[in-house]
Amino acid sequence: MKYLYILFCFVLIGCSNNRQTSNSKADAVSNSSYFEIHDGGSDQYNSKTGSFTRLYKNGFKIYKVLLSDNEKESIDSLFKVTNFHGFPPEFAIDWKSNGEITMISPSFETSIELREKGTCKKVILDFINLNNPINHKDKALEYEKLYFEIWKRIWDKDEYKNIPKSDFEYL
């Protein structure tokens, strides 16, 4: 019993030493929140894992595209400036409007999902709908700006520039 107690103490000490502590604001941002962004077609990105996923004819392939702490902090600021939590879950066509509505196929619903402090907020927009009367058009335009600002940071990474283009075709 004495040896079991000693072993238990060593396990507790070992577990308590494995905790990572950080005073860095950027680390706090990246550990407490992350986002996923999807183009509705073949590309998606997860900032928590740094995984960029692209669809090819033979299936999905995952590549590492890591954002720096400064880039993550910058994107976090974009979420706050645009009041991402104030966006509706989906920007939909306003079918009651008197305006002309145009439908195009195929259509791709983009999405941004923000996870922070145990909550998840996902927003969906089909950019083709921006040409139609849609609900909350002003916020939809802010979403579009946020969406492309996030992708721009990913597209500017050297790791991204080395990823083969998708050979998947949409009809």
Side-chain angles (χ1 to χ4, degrees), residues 93-104:
I93 293 176
D94 181 3
W95 295 101
K96 296 176 185 174
S97 170
N98 294 333
E100 185 177 318
I101 296 176
T102 305
M103 302 299 290
I104 298 175

PDB file of all heavy atoms in Angstrom, residues 93-104:
ATOM      1  N   ILE A  93     -32.323  35.055 -49.135  1.00  0.00           N
ATOM      2  CA  ILE A  93     -33.060  35.902 -50.071  1.00  0.00           C
ATOM      3  C   ILE A  93     -34.360  36.353 -49.414  1.00  0.00           C
ATOM      4  O   ILE A  93     -35.042  35.568 -48.752  1.00  0.00           O
ATOM      5  CB  ILE A  93     -33.357  35.132 -51.378  1.00  0.00           C
ATOM      6  CG1 ILE A  93     -32.057  34.856 -52.128  1.00  0.00           C
ATOM      7  CG2 ILE A  93     -34.328  35.902 -52.261  1.00  0.00           C
ATOM      8  CD1 ILE A  93     -32.226  34.012 -53.380  1.00  0.00           C
ATOM      9  N   ASP A  94     -34.684  37.619 -49.615  1.00  0.00           N
ATOM     10  CA  ASP A  94     -35.944  38.164 -49.114  1.00  0.00           C
ATOM     11  C   ASP A  94     -37.002  37.941 -50.201  1.00  0.00           C
ATOM     12  O   ASP A  94     -37.151  38.740 -51.119  1.00  0.00           O
ATOM     13  CB  ASP A  94     -35.784  39.656 -48.797  1.00  0.00           C
ATOM     14  CG  ASP A  94     -37.047  40.287 -48.252  1.00  0.00           C
ATOM     15  OD1 ASP A  94     -38.048  39.559 -48.052  1.00  0.00           O
ATOM     16  OD2 ASP A  94     -37.034  41.508 -48.018  1.00  0.00           O
ATOM     17  N   TRP A  95     -37.726  36.846 -50.088  1.00  0.00           N
ATOM     18  CA  TRP A  95     -38.687  36.457 -51.109  1.00  0.00           C
ATOM     19  C   TRP A  95     -39.895  37.389 -51.149  1.00  0.00           C
ATOM     20  O   TRP A  95     -40.636  37.413 -52.133  1.00  0.00           O
ATOM     21  CB  TRP A  95     -39.144  35.013 -50.898  1.00  0.00           C
ATOM     22  CG  TRP A  95     -38.022  34.044 -51.081  1.00  0.00           C
ATOM     23  CD1 TRP A  95     -37.302  33.441 -50.095  1.00  0.00           C
ATOM     24  CD2 TRP A  95     -37.455  33.609 -52.311  1.00  0.00           C
ATOM     25  NE1 TRP A  95     -36.321  32.635 -50.642  1.00  0.00           N
ATOM     26  CE2 TRP A  95     -36.390  32.720 -52.002  1.00  0.00           C
ATOM     27  CE3 TRP A  95     -37.724  33.876 -53.649  1.00  0.00           C
ATOM     28  CZ2 TRP A  95     -35.618  32.101 -52.975  1.00  0.00           C
ATOM     29  CZ3 TRP A  95     -36.952  33.251 -54.617  1.00  0.00           C
ATOM     30  CH2 TRP A  95     -35.922  32.374 -54.285  1.00  0.00           C
ATOM     31  N   LYS A  96     -40.120  38.176 -50.111  1.00  0.00           N
ATOM     32  CA  LYS A  96     -41.261  39.100 -50.071  1.00  0.00           C
ATOM     33  C   LYS A  96     -40.942  40.426 -50.765  1.00  0.00           C
ATOM     34  O   LYS A  96     -41.815  41.260 -50.943  1.00  0.00           O
ATOM     35  CB  LYS A  96     -41.667  39.366 -48.621  1.00  0.00           C
ATOM     36  CG  LYS A  96     -42.171  38.126 -47.914  1.00  0.00           C
ATOM     37  CD  LYS A  96     -42.474  38.409 -46.468  1.00  0.00           C
ATOM     38  CE  LYS A  96     -42.865  37.124 -45.743  1.00  0.00           C
ATOM     39  NZ  LYS A  96     -43.032  37.338 -44.317  1.00  0.00           N
ATOM     40  N   SER A  97     -39.703  40.614 -51.142  1.00  0.00           N
ATOM     41  CA  SER A  97     -39.271  41.853 -51.779  1.00  0.00           C
ATOM     42  C   SER A  97     -39.851  41.959 -53.180  1.00  0.00           C
ATOM     43  O   SER A  97     -40.123  40.963 -53.851  1.00  0.00           O
ATOM     44  CB  SER A  97     -37.750  41.883 -51.855  1.00  0.00           C
ATOM     45  OG  SER A  97     -37.319  42.941 -52.645  1.00  0.00           O
ATOM     46  N   ASN A  98     -39.998  43.193 -53.623  1.00  0.00           N
ATOM     47  CA  ASN A  98     -40.474  43.437 -54.983  1.00  0.00           C
ATOM     48  C   ASN A  98     -39.347  43.376 -56.006  1.00  0.00           C
ATOM     49  O   ASN A  98     -39.590  43.460 -57.201  1.00  0.00           O
ATOM     50  CB  ASN A  98     -41.160  44.808 -55.067  1.00  0.00           C
ATOM     51  CG  ASN A  98     -42.425  44.844 -54.246  1.00  0.00           C
ATOM     52  OD1 ASN A  98     -43.049  43.815 -54.034  1.00  0.00           O
ATOM     53  ND2 ASN A  98     -42.797  46.023 -53.775  1.00  0.00           N
ATOM     54  N   GLY A  99     -38.109  43.261 -55.531  1.00  0.00           N
ATOM     55  CA  GLY A  99     -36.964  43.246 -56.436  1.00  0.00           C
ATOM     56  C   GLY A  99     -36.875  41.965 -57.235  1.00  0.00           C
ATOM     57  O   GLY A  99     -37.468  40.939 -56.904  1.00  0.00           O
ATOM     58  N   GLU A 100     -36.110  42.049 -58.317  1.00  0.00           N
ATOM     59  CA  GLU A 100     -35.912  40.890 -59.183  1.00  0.00           C
ATOM     60  C   GLU A 100     -34.962  39.908 -58.511  1.00  0.00           C
ATOM     61  O   GLU A 100     -33.933  40.302 -57.949  1.00  0.00           O
ATOM     62  CB  GLU A 100     -35.332  41.349 -60.519  1.00  0.00           C
ATOM     63  CG  GLU A 100     -35.195  40.245 -61.525  1.00  0.00           C
ATOM     64  CD  GLU A 100     -34.675  40.752 -62.862  1.00  0.00           C
ATOM     65  OE1 GLU A 100     -35.127  41.829 -63.306  1.00  0.00           O
ATOM     66  OE2 GLU A 100     -33.806  40.079 -63.424  1.00  0.00           O
ATOM     67  N   ILE A 101     -35.280  38.624 -58.579  1.00  0.00           N
ATOM     68  CA  ILE A 101     -34.453  37.586 -57.955  1.00  0.00           C
ATOM     69  C   ILE A 101     -33.873  36.710 -59.047  1.00  0.00           C
ATOM     70  O   ILE A 101     -34.587  36.217 -59.921  1.00  0.00           O
ATOM     71  CB  ILE A 101     -35.266  36.753 -56.945  1.00  0.00           C
ATOM     72  CG1 ILE A 101     -35.719  37.659 -55.805  1.00  0.00           C
ATOM     73  CG2 ILE A 101     -34.461  35.577 -56.446  1.00  0.00           C
ATOM     74  CD1 ILE A 101     -36.616  36.996 -54.791  1.00  0.00           C
ATOM     75  N   THR A 102     -32.564  36.510 -58.993  1.00  0.00           N
ATOM     76  CA  THR A 102     -31.857  35.695 -59.966  1.00  0.00           C
ATOM     77  C   THR A 102     -31.280  34.477 -59.271  1.00  0.00           C
ATOM     78  O   THR A 102     -30.644  34.595 -58.218  1.00  0.00           O
ATOM     79  CB  THR A 102     -30.704  36.494 -60.607  1.00  0.00           C
ATOM     80  OG1 THR A 102     -31.224  37.704 -61.160  1.00  0.00           O
ATOM     81  CG2 THR A 102     -30.010  35.692 -61.672  1.00  0.00           C
ATOM     82  N   MET A 103     -31.484  33.313 -59.845  1.00  0.00           N
ATOM     83  CA  MET A 103     -30.931  32.079 -59.297  1.00  0.00           C
ATOM     84  C   MET A 103     -29.882  31.551 -60.269  1.00  0.00           C
ATOM     85  O   MET A 103     -30.106  31.538 -61.481  1.00  0.00           O
ATOM     86  CB  MET A 103     -32.028  31.024 -59.095  1.00  0.00           C
ATOM     87  CG  MET A 103     -33.156  31.483 -58.186  1.00  0.00           C
ATOM     88  SD  MET A 103     -32.631  31.885 -56.520  1.00  0.00           S
ATOM     89  CE  MET A 103     -32.230  30.289 -55.896  1.00  0.00           C
ATOM     90  N   ILE A 104     -28.746  31.127 -59.740  1.00  0.00           N
ATOM     91  CA  ILE A 104     -27.659  30.583 -60.548  1.00  0.00           C
ATOM     92  C   ILE A 104     -27.261  29.234 -59.958  1.00  0.00           C
ATOM     93  O   ILE A 104     -27.202  29.069 -58.745  1.00  0.00           O
ATOM     94  CB  ILE A 104     -26.450  31.534 -60.572  1.00  0.00           C
ATOM     95  CG1 ILE A 104     -26.843  32.865 -61.212  1.00  0.00           C
ATOM     96  CG2 ILE A 104     -25.277  30.910 -61.301  1.00  0.00           C
ATOM     97  CD1 ILE A 104     -25.762  33.919 -61.182  1.00  0.00           C
TER      98      ILE A 104
END
